[in-house]
Amino acid sequence: MSAGSETHILQMTLQSHLQSLETYTVAPTGLDKARPAPPPLQQEFAGFFSLPACSGLLCSASAYTPGGQACKRGDVVLLRKANQEDVVAQVWFHVQFDNVCYSAVTEWPAARALNRFCITERPVFVPTLEIYRLCIHRPEGKLALVIPVRQV
């Protein structure tokens, strides 16, 4: 075998490994310490999505975002909605139904002041995949100062 062919084989092997690494992830996904959802939560979830029932619904106070960060009850996050601007929201809890994770959040509308958002209490379910960044926040009465955490 000549040196040129060995180099070519090494390049092909390296390319194959790099392509494999592009799709490989070690980041945790899904719910953390999931348990069966209580009947009132099942009814609320089914009603929100207009489902006749949702047996097998799991719930948890924490889940992992697509980037592998742990997101728990009370965290303030940035949601990336399809065809919309980013939305600030506070997490209440997470559920999993039919192998898809959803997060119960209250979306906070922007106030007039810089980085200030109005704290609301109207929860909605969003796909956990929409959570893309955690935030630091400080409540200031009915408003909250919100600063996105830089991703590493």
Side-chain angles (χ1 to χ4, degrees), residues 88 109-118 138 140 143-148:
V88 172
R112 292 182 185 207
L114 182 65
N115 289 352
R116 300 303 194 284
F117 295 84
C118 300
R138 181 180 72 205
E140 298 174 342
L143 298 178
L145 170 65
V146 177
I147 302 170

Side-chain angles (χ1 to χ4, degrees), residues 45 51 54-58 95-102:
F45 184 83
L51 301 171
C54 57
S55 61
L57 184 71
L58 300 173
V95 296
Q96 182 175 324
F97 180 67
D98 202 21
N99 291 324
V100 178
C101 289
Y102 298 91

Side-chain angles (χ1 to χ4, degrees), residues 1-10 13:
M1 199 180 270
S2 68
S5 63
E6 289 175 354
T7 301
H8 181 68
I9 291 171
L10 181 60
T13 304

Side-chain angles (χ1 to χ4, degrees), residues 7 13 21 23 25 31 49 51 58 80 101 135 145:
T7 301
T13 304
L21 285 174
T23 59
T25 179
L31 301 181
F49 288 106
L51 301 171
L58 300 173
R80 178 149 292 159
C101 289
C135 300
L145 170 65

Side-chain angles (χ1 to χ4, degrees), residues 92-137:
W92 286 36
F93 58 87
H94 307 276
V95 296
Q96 182 175 324
F97 180 67
D98 202 21
N99 291 324
V100 178
C101 289
Y102 298 91
S103 299
V105 301
T106 54
E107 296 178 355
W108 290 357
R112 292 182 185 207
L114 182 65
N115 289 352
R116 300 303 194 284
F117 295 84
C118 300
I119 297 173
T120 63
E121 298 275 330
R122 293 180 302 275
V124 295
F125 288 100
V126 298
T128 303
L129 290 174
E130 289 184 358
I131 297 174
Y132 82 99
R133 189 176 286 180
L134 300 176
C135 300
I136 297 170
H137 74 287

Side-chain angles (χ1 to χ4, degrees), residues 7-57:
T7 301
H8 181 68
I9 291 171
L10 181 60
Q11 288 173 342
M12 288 178 19
T13 304
L14 180 61
Q15 181 182 5
S16 172
H17 286 299
L18 290 175
Q19 287 173 342
S20 294
L21 285 174
E22 286 178 357
T23 59
Y24 180 75
T25 179
V26 294
T29 59
L31 301 181
D32 182 38
K33 299 177 185 172
R35 62 184 190 283
L41 176 54
Q42 290 181 23
Q43 292 171 352
E44 196 66 35
F45 184 83
F48 185 83
F49 288 106
S50 301
L51 301 171
C54 57
S55 61
L57 184 71

